[in-house]
Amino acid sequence: MGLKVYNTISGKKEDFTPVTEGQVKLYVCGVTVYDHCHIGHARSAIVFDTIYRYLRSKGYDVTYVRNFTDIDDKIIRRSHAENIAWQEIGQTYIRSFYEDMDALGILRPNHEPRATEHIGDMITLVDTLLKKGHAYNVGGDVYFSVDSFRNYGQLSKRPLEEMMSGARVDIDEKKKNPLDFALWKASKEGEPSWDAPFGAGRPGWHIECSAMSTLFLGNPFDIHGGGKDLVFPHHENEKAQTEAATGGKFVNYWVHNGFVNIDREKMSKSIGNTLLIRDFLKEYHPEVLRLFYLSNHYRSPVDYNSQSIEDSNIALYRLYYTRERAAEAQKGKMFASQSYEMADEMVRKFNEAMDDDFNTALAISYIFDLSKDINRMVDEKDESAVPLIVAAETAYEYLADTLGLLQDTLESLESQGKSRHLARMGLDVAFVENAINDRIEARKAKDFQKADQIRTMLAEKGIMLLDTPKGTQWRIKTSVS
RNA sequence: GGCGGCAUAGCCAAGUGGUAAGGCGACGGUCUGCAAAACCGUUAUUCUCCGGUUCAAAUCCGGAUGCCGCCUCCA
């Protein structure tokens, strides 16, 4: 069975056929570097990272391009407000972006062009549009004429006439049509500018993605992605200007991820409820966010709330513990490799789910099925089942890897969680260990009342004790009350 | 005003014609000095409501209600 991808432009799932067999050209709109990234950026990054991982696991040779918008109104505004060079604003937030993305386990794309590195390509494109009569110059500002492009509105399914009647479009005297958008903005005092045959200035927002995607991937290319909000106007405009310039098709498959709400409310700066990635990471392991997002379909809106995140946190621990148990069951055992039908079945179903427009939520359910199966075999303590555990665990790792999960060690996951928790409670490891030692003594003396008092005391501080064959271990209580 | 989406158990959530995945929680059991973890079992005869099509509908069609997004910078 082949891959099916939901295409925004047709509103349907379509069979995926790349332009060149065996290769996928993928372009995803990156960020404007004027602030730290929030968990909405994280969703987009995680969704396309997962798509990228899956395409590679299917054997495609993927060329993945993700841009940085490092010249733009918001950057200039911030530069003026903080009295810092605009270039420096960009550098700062590109660094911040990488810190966040690396923490989240987002793989680096093949190319990460910055808009300012390709001004020349943009100028060429604007020039072409002027020469072809799709753009006009008003005192150094160059606008794209939407009336000159027959298919304008095709992607966002907004006929021109209807948008015209929309009351929310700014009336700009300079534009022939209120929907015309800037390809090039004339040079202004205190703003960066580049020389161009049609007048010095700086590029409009949409032109960079047209220039850079075409440069790195050619036309048409396979998949263009981004957040749902980019459908209009950004992608509509990219498409219009590129197709007007080349006369050919720009993109075959448009893929857009849904938005993140916080406690059922739209996350936005004006409401003041944006959550930065770095603030999230102070509380939880990065894979908690990944598991949470991938448990929802990428096109649906997702509601971020403490209950759901806590659920994902617990579930993530479960997956790590299973891997640990599988490893222990194999330790020091000799075994011949053996195929295991159940594991093969899970891999097959996993790929089938991912082939169906990247249904990660369904795909994840097979990881949990494998987890249950592995735990069951480990519990049975049947030596002859060890090869099956190995086979199941191999499948387990493959599924998790493809989704970018279980990339850390249990030790690291636990120690991060423990130190966060202890710091919050104002406790330290020595306190816990002393209490555990006291309890061990009490248990030796069969003073179970005292032992239970210690257990209760620690439980009240969110610390859970486990008496295992290897001795008493402790964990942070993950369950919510 | 225009365009689009969603409504599935206590909570989260997948499922677009063939008889309801998975996670979290709860309850019973195994295990344990007691617990925890893990496993086993139970937890939606039913998918917002009302009609229709069909041998068959959570899934298709029509209508109602409720929630949400976009049309403006935005992942």
Side-chain angles (χ1 to χ4, degrees), chain A residues 70 112-122 194 212 215-216:
Chain A
D70 62 347
E112 298 178 86
R114 301 174 187 192
T116 53
E117 295 166 347
H118 294 281
I119 303 287
D121 298 307
M122 298 183 217
W194 288 263
M212 296 190 289
L215 176 70
F216 286 98

Side-chain angles (χ1 to χ4, degrees), chain A residues 45-61:
Chain A
I46 287 169
V47 163
F48 288 102
D49 181 67
T50 305
I51 289 175
Y52 177 48
R53 285 172 190 262
Y54 184 63
L55 290 171
R56 294 208 310 184
S57 95
K58 277 185 84 71
Y60 284 115
D61 174 15

Side-chain angles (χ1 to χ4, degrees), chain A residues 402-462:
Chain A
T402 304
L403 297 180
L405 293 167
L406 301 182
Q407 304 298 295
D408 204 348
T409 60
L410 174 62
E411 194 189 3
S412 161
L413 174 73
E414 277 202 309
S415 71
Q416 287 175 42
K418 284 178 177 176
S419 48
R420 263 193 294 263
H421 182 77
L422 292 179
R424 203 177 300 137
M425 300 296 293
L427 302 173
D428 58 26
V429 175
F431 169 81
V432 179
E433 286 177 350
N434 287 336
I436 288 175
N437 287 331
D438 290 347
R439 182 168 166 276
I440 289 171
E441 291 306 315
R443 288 181 75 206
K444 272 185 192 158
K446 301 273 188 225
D447 185 352
F448 293 120
Q449 200 185 346
K450 185 178 179 194
D452 288 348
Q453 270 173 11
I454 294 172
R455 179 194 287 291
T456 307
M457 181 275 289
L458 287 175
E460 279 163 1
K461 298 182 188 304

Side-chain angles (χ1 to χ4, degrees), chain A residues 300-347:
Chain A
S300 307
V302 77
D303 187 51
Y304 180 100
N305 60 74
S306 56
Q307 168 81 56
S308 292
I309 291 302
E310 198 54 46
D311 286 354
S312 294
N313 185 230
I314 293 167
L316 183 69
Y317 268 88
R318 176 186 170 82
L319 295 179
Y320 272 92
Y321 287 134
T322 297
R323 180 167 70 183
E324 198 64 10
R325 298 187 82 212
E328 292 212 352
Q330 301 167 33
K331 203 178 276 173
K333 304 275 165 59
M334 299 293 289
F335 49 83
S337 72
Q338 192 172 326
S339 74
Y340 182 30
E341 201 181 320
M342 191 277 181
D344 295 344
E345 173 83 356
M346 290 300 113
V347 171

Side-chain angles (χ1 to χ4, degrees), chain A residues 11 17 47 76 90 127 144 149-151 204 230 236 249 322 398 410-411 416 445 449 460 469 472:
Chain A
T17 311
V47 163
I76 293 169
D127 211 37
F144 182 86
F149 184 67
R150 188 168 42 88
N151 286 332
L230 295 180
E236 188 72 59
K249 197 177 183 186
T322 297
Y398 163 75
L410 174 62
E411 194 189 3
Q416 287 175 42
Q449 200 185 346
E460 279 163 1
T472 299

